[in-house]
Amino acid sequence: MTELIPAPRSVVAGSGEVRLTARSRLQSGPGTEGVGRWLRAVLWQATGLPLREERELDDADGDGVGLRLDPGLGPEEHRLVSDRTGVLIEGGSAAGVFRGAQTLRQLLGPDAYRRAPLGRDRVWAVPHVTIEDSPRFRWRGLMLDVARHFMPKEGVLRYLDLMAAHKLNVLHFHLTDDQGWRVEIKRYPKLTEVGSWRARTKVGHRASPLWDDTPHGGHYTQDDIREIVAYAAERHISVVPEIDVPGHSQAAIAAYPELGNTDVIDTASLTVWDTWGINPNVLAPTDNTLRFYEGVLEEVLELFPADAGPCTPFSGFVHLGGDECPKDQWRASAVAQQRIRDLGLADEDALQSWFIGHFATWLAARGRRLIGWDEILEGGLAPGAAVSSWRGYAGGVVAARAGHDVVMCPEQHVYLDHRQDAGPDEPVPIGYVRTLEDVYRFEPVPPELTAEEAGRVLGAQANAWSEVMENQDRVDYQVFPRLAAFAEVAWSALPAPAERDFADFERRMTAHRRRLDALGVAHRPPTGPLPWQRRPGVLGRPLDGPPPHR
C-alpha cells in the first residue's frame, strides 16, 4: 500500500478494503467528467469492470468510486479516502482529481496497468487509507528529442501516458534540429519534404566509424500535432514545442538555403545533417530569416494553443532553443557584420541576443512566453523570457537573480541519455555515470538562492536526447527507471539530497518495476542490461569521475 511513486505527502492507513466488482459504480462530480471518462476507460481495459456512471453514490454499498472538486485544495492538490463508504478522490481542480486517480491505479496493483484482463478470477481491492498529496514544483517535465531519431506519433502518445502515470505535467517537444524537421508547416512545405529525412545516420558517438545507410526520417502532420496536444490536455500535461534557432538549424537551411549565411558558404549544397555534435551552419541574421520564422511560428501557435486546457498552465510557452550557436559564420559574413553595425551592437553574442529578443517580443505580443536554453542569457535577455538551465546550475542562478523564471535541467544530473553505470556492457556510454540513486538525490533549487530567487524556479525537467537512441526500446532503457526517481524529486517534498531515504525508494521501486513491466516499458534491470539491450562495438563518449556540481 505504501509502495507509491512519487511518495505522497501523507498516508494514514485504515483497516479493511474496498472491493471493486461488476456492481461498482463511478460518480463524476461537476468538473471531473473528463477524469471519469479516462479512469473508466483504463480500468475497463485492465479489469473488465464496467464502472457504470452513477448520479449519486450509495454509501451503503461501499464499493463505488467518487470524483469531486474541492475549492479548498490547491490546483493539483488532492485527497483520496478509501473507507467503508467506498473510494472518494477530491482535488482542487480536474488536474488534482486526475493525479489522485493515478494514485488509485497504483493502489489497485500492477495488473491495473494492462490493456486487457488476464482472464482469471481476481479481486480488485483498494485498501482503506487516507492519502493527501500535492506537488512541490509546478513544472515537472520531460524533454523528448524527436529530431535526431524520429518517434512515431503512437510512441509520443505512449510517453504521455507514462508521464501521466508519474504525475509529470510538461512535455518539452524538441521538434527541429540539424538532423531533422518534424512538424508540418504548410506555408513552407519543403521543411518536411526535404528537411524531415536524412540519407544516412552516424551510429554511436560522432567519433564512431560506424554508419547506418538506411535513410531515416518522419514528421508529424498538423492533425497529428493537434491529436498529441489534445491527448496531453486530457492528461493535464502542457506541451511546449521547441523550434531551434539560430543554431541547430541545418535541416531548415537544407530545405531553404536562403536561410543560411550565403555570403560565407554554399548553402545550396547542404543536406540534412547525418552526424552529431555542434554544427557550424547557422541561420543568417537577416530580415528574410525573421519573416520566415515568424511564418513558422504563426502556424506553431495555432497548433499549440495557449488555452490547450484549463489545467495545462504552461501551454503558452514556446521554446526557441538558442543553444550551441557557433558565431564563426557571422564573424565572416559581411551581412551579419553590417547588421551588428546597423543595430549598434557590441559583438556576435549581442547579435544572437537581438535575434532571440526579436522573437521574445513577437511572442509576447501574441500572449505567449519565450523559453530557451541558458545561452540566451549571453548578451542580455528580454523581460518575461524564461530559461532552461542545462549547462549546470549557473545559468539558472544568473537568470533567477535577474528576475527570470527558470526550469532546472542540468546535464550533469538529469540528462537521461547519459550512462547509468560504468560497466562495459552499458550500451553506447555517453557522459558521466548517473545511477538511479544519483537522479534520486538531484536537487533542483541551488542553495545559494534567496527565498525570493528560489521562487523563480518553476521546477525541473529530465532531458532525453536521442542521438544514440534509435528506437523506442532504447529510449525506454535510458529513461526508465530513472524517470521514476526524477518524478519523485519533482513532485514530493523530499529532505536534503544526502538525507533522502534511497533504500525506501528502492523498496518501492520493486513494486513499481512490475507496473513498468505491465506497461511494456523496456526499463534497465537493476542487475544491468539484458543481452539484447547491449550495443557491443558501438563507440560512446564516457566521462570518468563525478560530474561537476555547477
Side-chain angles (χ1 to χ4, degrees):
M1 180 191 65
T2 58
E3 296 168 337
L4 299 174
I5 291 177
R9 183 180 70 209
S10 171
V11 178
V12 178
S15 59
E17 62 185 18
V18 174
R19 292 197 174 188
L20 301 183
T21 70
R23 299 182 331 112
S24 297
R25 298 291 189 267
L26 189 150
Q27 192 266 330
S28 305
T32 72
E33 295 86 354
V35 181
R37 286 191 295 272
W38 174 86
L39 183 60
R40 183 178 295 106
V42 296
L43 293 187
W44 162 254
Q45 69 179 10
T47 69
L49 302 178
L51 290 178
R52 295 181 180 88
E53 182 66 33
E54 190 73 76
R55 287 192 176 183
E56 294 291 338
L57 290 177
D58 185 352
D59 291 346
D61 292 337
D63 65 351
V65 178
L67 308 177
R68 295 178 191 167
L69 297 182
D70 180 347
L73 300 176
E76 291 187 277
E77 189 175 9
H78 55 271
R79 180 189 308 113
L80 184 152
V81 178
S82 170
D83 58 21
R84 60 178 182 77
T85 66
V87 180
L88 176 63
I89 301 172
E90 297 176 296
S93 70
V97 176
F98 184 77
R99 310 297 179 220
Q102 296 291 349
T103 300
L104 171 63
R105 202 178 179 193
Q106 290 198 20
L107 291 172
L108 285 168
D111 288 343
Y113 290 85
R114 297 190 180 276
R115 294 196 179 188
L118 296 184
R120 65 172 186 261
D121 293 337
R122 64 154 300 164
V123 174
W124 294 98
V126 181
H128 285 175
V129 66
T130 298
I131 297 173
E132 296 181 326
D133 208 1
S134 58
R136 178 185 179 192
F137 291 108
R138 290 183 291 152
W139 183 303
R140 306 179 305 279
L142 171 67
M143 190 223 67
L144 281 180
D145 170 21
V146 298
R148 274 51 178 270
H149 279 100
F150 180 64
M151 178 179 286
K153 180 191 69 177
E154 288 302 318
V156 178
L157 300 180
R158 174 177 177 267
Y159 258 84
L160 287 167
D161 281 330
L162 293 172
M163 290 175 64
H166 292 83
K167 299 183 180 176
L168 301 177
N169 70 336
V170 179
L171 171 64
H172 175 168
F173 206 15
H174 184 81
L175 288 164
T176 75
D177 217 293
D178 299 303
Q179 296 85 1
W181 185 285
R182 305 299 179 206
V183 55
E184 177 189 25
I185 302 296
K186 292 186 176 180
R187 188 178 308 187
Y188 305 119
K190 288 193 290 185
L191 285 172
T192 48
E193 291 171 1
V194 175
S196 70
W197 70 276
R198 56 182 181 264
R200 64 174 188 168
T201 299
K202 174 67 71 173
V203 177
H205 184 258
R206 61 182 175 272
S208 166
L210 303 177
W211 292 90
D212 181 350
D213 290 324
T214 305
H216 179 86
H219 73 275
Y220 309 104
T221 68
Q222 294 203 349
D223 282 344
D224 289 339
I225 293 292
R226 293 186 181 98
E227 180 183 358
I228 288 167
V229 171
Y231 195 87
E234 288 176 351
R235 287 145 184 80
H236 306 283
I237 295 173
S238 303
V239 183
V240 176
E242 180 176 353
I243 305 296
D244 224 331
V245 297
H248 288 293
S249 297
Q250 183 162 317
I253 298 170
Y256 292 92
E258 65 272 20
L259 296 174
N261 294 283
T262 57
D263 61 339
V264 177
I265 63 165
D266 177 15
T267 57
S269 68
L270 295 178
T271 60
V272 178
W273 213 27
D274 54 15
T275 189
W276 321 121
I278 299 176
N279 191 315
N281 298 308
V282 303
L283 297 174
T286 63
D287 289 342
N288 174 68
T289 300
L290 298 181
R291 301 294 87 77
F292 183 95
Y293 275 89
E294 287 171 0
V296 168
L297 290 172
E298 284 175 2
E299 296 192 28
V300 167
L301 297 192
E302 190 273 328
L303 296 173
F304 297 88
D307 57 350
C311 300
T312 55
F314 300 108
S315 295
F317 281 82
V318 177
H319 205 292
L320 288 188
D323 61 314
E324 297 180 329
C325 178
K327 309 298 193 301
D328 295 341
Q329 290 185 0
W330 287 358
R331 293 186 186 96
S333 167
V335 172
Q337 292 303 309
Q338 186 61 49
R339 183 116 239 181
I340 289 173
R341 290 191 291 272
D342 290 346
L343 294 169
L345 301 176
D347 53 22
E348 289 76 20
D349 284 344
L351 182 62
Q352 177 169 332
S353 176
W354 165 82
F355 191 102
I356 295 294
H358 171 87
F359 288 106
T361 302
W362 189 92
L363 288 168
R366 289 154 180 81
R368 301 302 192 94
R369 288 186 66 186
L370 181 145
I371 184 169
W373 303 111
D374 53 58
E375 287 96 328
I376 67 174
L377 289 163
E378 297 165 3
L381 184 56
V387 170
S388 302
S389 186
W390 76 274
R391 295 180 297 177
Y393 288 91
V397 170
V398 170
R401 287 176 173 168
H404 295 282
D405 287 340
V406 178
V407 175
M408 286 294 186
C409 49
E411 66 167 328
Q412 302 91 339
H413 301 276
V414 288
Y415 268 34
L416 300 183
D417 50 308
H418 286 199
R419 59 190 174 138
Q420 303 182 65
D421 189 84
D425 289 333
E426 207 62 32
V428 199
I430 300 295
Y432 295 101
V433 172
R434 291 288 86 191
T435 65
L436 182 67
E437 181 173 0
D438 290 330
V439 174
Y440 190 66
R441 298 192 189 280
F442 164 59
E443 172 50 49
V445 179
E448 61 264 41
L449 293 182
T450 66
E452 181 179 358
E453 292 164 351
R456 290 288 187 182
V457 179
L458 296 175
Q461 180 173 288
N463 294 342
W465 298 102
S466 67
E467 290 94 332
V468 298
M469 294 188 284
E470 71 278 8
N471 57 38
Q472 176 177 287
D473 283 353
R474 279 288 292 126
V475 176
D476 281 2
Y477 178 90
Q478 292 298 136
V479 170
F480 289 100
R482 292 184 294 180
L483 191 67
F486 171 82
E488 183 150 312
V489 168
W491 177 276
S492 305
L494 298 177
E499 299 168 9
R500 294 176 188 172
D501 189 349
F502 181 68
D504 177 70
F505 178 77
E506 276 194 309
R507 180 187 63 79
R508 289 180 285 121
M509 272 303 305
T510 300
H512 197 67
R513 287 179 185 276
R514 294 196 293 271
R515 298 179 191 125
L516 297 177
D517 288 338
L519 286 163
V521 176
H523 57 92
R524 182 186 190 276
T527 54
L530 298 167
W532 55 88
Q533 292 174 321
R534 300 166 188 161
R535 294 293 185 274
V538 179
L539 183 67
R541 183 175 176 266
L543 298 174
D544 295 327
H549 184 64
R550 287 288 175 259

